[in-house]
Amino acid sequence: MAAYILRRLLLVIPTLLGIMVINFTLTQFVPGGPIQQIAAKLEDQRLGDVKGAGADLGAADQSQGSDYIGARGLPPEFIAKLEVEFGFARIVCDAGFLGEPNLKDPACHKEKIPAIERFFIMMGKYLRFDFGESYFRSTSVVDLILEKMPVSITLGLWSTVLAYLISIPLGIRKAVKDGSRFDVWTSGIIIGAYSIPSFLFALILLELFAGGSFMKIFPLRGIVSENWETLSLWGKLTDYLWHIVLPVTAQLVSAFTTLTLLTKNSFLDEIGKHYVMTARAKGLSERRVLYGHVFRNAMLIVISGFPAAFLGIFFGSSLLIERIFTLDGLGLLGFNSAVQRDYPIVFGTLFAFGLIGLVMGIISDLTYVLVDPRIDFETRG
């Protein structure tokens, strides 16, 4: 088993490198970048100032607005400074220059850094877990991730745990009662729940229970109240749970439906095998057969998939829920960073979460062994 784990750990390196290479390459072909984002924002602000000044000074002065700096574009020196600051270029000075490199000095000039070199500089920092600072927030990427982590952990952890607590008993019951009236009407509910997108279900919950046209039982936004710091320990706990009921419920819908059907099908597959018939022929009770023999084999794929299920809910489906319930988590951070071309956050989170995902894959394999010690990855063909 140790040799298998070592091989999987060694495979993490080329896999993670491939993920970063593909995504870094794609960004080189995406129009616009952080420099263009800042330039466009400043340009809009200055053009707005021109219009405001024109309204105040009258038509005569407005005719001179074309000479305003906002209409002529940003100074090349400013653009060059941004490129150096963001790591797209460097300052190169003539031989013999002894002062501090400065673009204002005639002996120094800007030199573009090739994309391949920028990639290796970035990966060198990431190997030391140095993810740099955001272009637009003046905060380190690690601090931003830690700041947004509680929201995403809340959504991912509670949704996954509740999905398992609901799905496993329900799936077992459906397998035992396969074809019965209970199985039919619960399947109808599951199919109906699966067909409703989580964001649409979230809007329905808001309308029904958060001050829409019906009741106002739960808060409309946020993960805690504004006075949370002043509450007692019990008050903080109840306030936190009160706020997460609706977003967790909205995210739980799609998670528990697929897991319930997986549990049911796993049990049905095991119940039809010969060892179950043999156990029944020996006179064992149905409960002993079900939980003493079938459960371990049927639950293998369900329980071992917990790390991957948590990771999928944690990183994959929280953006719309965060937007609807005004929760400032990792999903919203990643979306805004991609729109703004905030590459340190985009690539830093991609590297960190890619690494976590690959490690979770190894943990999932180890969970297989814990659930069923008969599994031996060393002897796999």
Side-chain angles (χ1 to χ4, degrees):
M1 191 63 186
Y4 170 77
I5 295 175
L6 180 61
R7 288 198 302 269
R8 288 293 303 271
L9 288 174
L10 292 176
L11 280 174
V12 167
I13 299 174
T15 305
L16 189 59
L17 182 63
I19 293 172
M20 298 301 296
V21 167
I22 292 173
N23 285 274
F24 185 85
T25 303
L26 289 175
T27 60
Q28 306 308 306
F29 300 98
V30 175
I35 306 296
Q36 290 78 3
Q37 292 280 331
I38 292 177
K41 186 179 297 185
L42 293 176
E43 189 84 5
D44 291 341
Q45 290 177 355
R46 289 175 172 175
L47 286 174
D49 292 342
V50 170
K51 293 179 181 179
D56 293 337
L57 298 176
D61 291 336
Q62 194 172 17
S63 64
Q64 300 176 1
S66 59
D67 294 330
Y68 185 67
I69 189 170
R72 300 198 307 268
L74 296 173
E77 297 81 8
F78 179 76
I79 299 296
K81 182 180 178 181
L82 284 178
E83 290 178 346
V84 173
E85 182 180 345
F86 288 170
F88 293 98
R90 54 178 160 238
I91 301 175
V92 178
C93 300
D94 297 339
F97 181 79
L98 300 177
E100 185 73 20
N102 194 327
L103 289 174
K104 295 182 179 179
D105 196 296
C108 300
H109 64 278
K110 179 192 72 174
E111 179 183 85
K112 291 279 189 180
I113 301 178
I116 184 79
E117 185 177 346
R118 286 191 281 112
F119 175 77
F120 283 111
I121 292 173
M122 179 185 71
M123 291 303 297
K125 293 180 178 179
Y126 286 0
L127 291 177
R128 303 191 302 270
F129 293 97
D130 177 11
F131 300 119
E133 290 191 356
S134 166
Y135 288 155
F136 303 99
R137 301 172 187 248
S138 300
T139 308
S140 71
V141 175
V142 174
D143 289 341
L144 280 172
I145 292 176
L146 294 177
E147 179 186 339
K148 313 299 182 185
M149 191 77 79
V151 171
S152 296
I153 289 179
T154 291
L155 292 177
L157 184 59
W158 282 108
S159 299
T160 306
V161 171
L162 290 175
Y164 271 78
L165 291 177
I166 295 172
S167 300
I168 291 178
L170 180 59
I172 294 174
R173 182 71 174 174
K174 285 176 63 63
V176 173
K177 299 290 185 179
D178 183 43
S180 67
R181 182 176 299 177
F182 172 81
D183 181 44
V184 172
W185 69 261
T186 53
S187 295
I189 294 176
I190 289 172
I191 293 173
Y194 184 76
S195 64
I196 301 176
S198 58
F199 74 90
L200 179 58
F201 190 64
L203 294 174
I204 294 174
L205 291 176
L206 284 178
E207 181 69 17
L208 292 177
F209 304 111
S213 303
F214 296 90
M215 297 174 285
K216 188 176 181 180
I217 301 175
F218 299 101
L220 185 62
R221 59 175 61 87
I223 198 169
V224 291
S225 300
E226 294 181 358
N227 64 334
W228 191 77
E229 293 292 341
T230 63
L231 299 175
S232 63
L233 180 60
W234 176 253
K236 289 181 178 179
L237 178 61
T238 54
D239 182 74
Y240 166 75
L241 294 175
W242 181 49
H243 277 77
I244 68 172
V245 168
L246 294 187
V248 169
T249 302
Q251 189 152 304
L252 178 64
V253 173
S254 59
F256 100 91
T257 54
T258 53
L259 191 56
T260 300
L261 295 178
L262 177 62
T263 303
K264 176 191 174 183
N265 292 332
S266 297
F267 265 80
L268 285 177
D269 185 55
E270 292 296 325
I271 289 174
K273 291 184 177 179
H274 291 295
Y275 75 88
V276 177
M277 299 174 60
T278 303
R280 286 171 174 166
K282 289 181 177 180
L284 296 180
S285 65
E286 191 66 21
R287 184 178 182 84
R288 179 72 180 276
V289 172
L290 189 62
Y291 293 101
H293 296 273
V294 176
F295 185 82
R296 184 178 66 178
N297 296 328
M299 284 292 97
L300 178 62
I301 189 172
V302 177
I303 296 176
S304 61
F306 179 83
F310 171 69
L311 194 69
I313 296 176
F314 185 51
F315 298 125
S317 60
S318 62
L319 171 59
L320 292 176
I321 302 298
E322 290 177 13
R323 289 287 293 177
I324 292 172
F325 291 98
T326 320
L327 303 174
D328 194 7
L330 291 174
L332 198 57
L333 175 66
F335 174 76
N336 291 334
S337 301
V339 171
Q340 295 175 346
R341 308 294 194 269
D342 199 340
Y343 292 146
I345 297 179
V346 172
F347 291 120
T349 53
L350 180 66
F351 180 88
F353 298 155
L355 180 61
I356 293 173
L358 293 171
V359 172
M360 279 292 188
I362 300 175
I363 294 175
S364 294
D365 288 348
L366 295 178
T367 311
Y368 274 105
V369 179
L370 292 176
V371 175
D372 190 350
R374 295 172 298 176
I375 295 178
D376 185 6
F377 288 103
E378 294 290 346
T379 59
R380 285 197 314 178

